[in-house]
Amino acid sequence: MSDKTPVDFWFDPLCPWAWMTSRWVLEVEKVRDIEVRWHIMSLAVLNEDKLDQLDEDYRELLSTEAWKPVRVVTAAWQKHGDEVLGPLYTALGTRVHNNAQETREALAGALADVGLPADLIDYADQEDFEFDAELRASHKEGIDKVGQEVGTPIIAVPGTDGEQIAFFGPVVTPAPKGEEAARLWDGTIAVASVPGFYEIKRTRTKEPDFSNL
């Protein structure tokens, strides 16, 4: 058993905001005694019952492109274990978000980067997805911890008496580094220690900034 503080992190691999937060939490691993445990959620699943309420471009993205990476990552997880999730997400996110590669090219490259079988990419277009139940169960686990009015990422951290407290976010750009990352982590733990704390929020005025990744 690890003595490090566990941090459970749910991500959709296509979400730029989840990517930013994931890079922050990995930075926190360098400066605080934590251990990130990766889990999959899906913006396509989250929004599938309200597609008619979304703008046309986002609706099209969720109906088509958003399924591809989450299916491939889920299949890799189911066939090769929990330990592939972090490295595969890092390889895929670097290609998709930092390098702006097209989804299929990024998937093929990421699988090669981490030494996973190339044929896992076939799951991208598998509409009758073999591991749909496992994907939805992982998604539900995160949502059940935090509630319905959220997106990705979700993080769950220790609260009072060791009970996990889950939040949507933190939503931040660019990803904090060094002591700035540590201060944000300390603040996250501080608000998690207050049983009645629910929300701090302001309107986003910046787009995702990947320049320091």
Side-chain angles (χ1 to χ4, degrees):
M1 295 291 291
S2 173
D3 292 330
K4 295 183 177 182
T5 300
V7 181
D8 289 288
F9 191 107
W10 280 263
F11 67 93
D12 181 308
L14 209 58
C15 176
W17 296 104
W19 175 245
M20 203 76 60
T21 306
S22 74
R23 300 309 93 181
W24 160 71
V25 81
L26 285 178
E27 185 74 10
V28 176
E29 276 194 327
K30 302 175 185 177
V31 294
R32 292 291 186 269
D33 202 20
I34 73 166
E35 182 175 37
V36 182
R37 302 185 299 203
W38 302 99
H39 309 271
I40 299 168
M41 66 180 296
S42 168
L43 288 171
V45 172
L46 184 68
N47 291 283
E48 63 185 350
D49 294 330
K50 49 188 175 185
L51 288 175
D52 59 347
Q53 302 170 30
L54 306 175
D55 69 67
E56 184 176 353
D57 288 343
Y58 192 43
R59 183 167 65 246
E60 177 65 19
L61 175 70
L62 293 179
S63 299
T64 56
E65 203 71 8
W67 284 106
K68 296 176 181 179
V70 80
R71 284 173 178 153
V72 172
V73 174
T74 300
W77 162 46
Q78 287 298 299
K79 290 193 162 196
H80 299 278
D82 294 347
E83 63 273 14
V84 306
L85 281 174
L88 180 56
Y89 181 33
T90 289
L92 179 57
T94 298
R95 289 173 172 274
V96 169
H97 302 295
N98 297 3
N99 300 338
Q101 288 186 356
E102 181 272 332
T103 302
R104 183 165 288 275
E105 178 188 2
L107 284 166
L111 291 171
D113 290 342
V114 297
L116 287 169
D119 61 3
L120 283 168
I121 201 172
D122 295 341
Y123 286 98
D125 299 314
Q126 190 183 78
E127 293 187 8
D128 186 14
F129 182 44
E130 179 179 347
F131 302 110
D132 188 67
E134 290 81 0
L135 166 59
R136 290 175 184 274
S138 178
H139 176 91
K140 183 177 185 298
E141 182 185 12
I143 291 294
D144 284 351
K145 287 180 180 293
V146 75
Q148 294 295 321
E149 298 175 4
V150 300
T152 174
I154 293 169
I155 63 169
V157 301
T160 55
D161 300 324
E163 177 188 2
Q164 271 200 328
I165 303 296
F167 297 110
F168 161 54
V171 176
V172 61
T173 186
K177 301 289 187 179
E179 187 55 32
E180 186 180 30
R183 287 197 304 271
L184 180 55
W185 167 255
D186 295 342
T188 302
I189 292 297
V191 297
S193 72
V194 180
F197 174 83
Y198 290 100
E199 185 174 9
I200 293 176
K201 188 173 183 178
R202 62 176 176 162
T203 299
R204 289 198 305 261
T205 58
K206 295 182 179 180
E207 293 301 311
D209 178 358
F210 309 122
S211 61
N212 67 343
L213 299 179

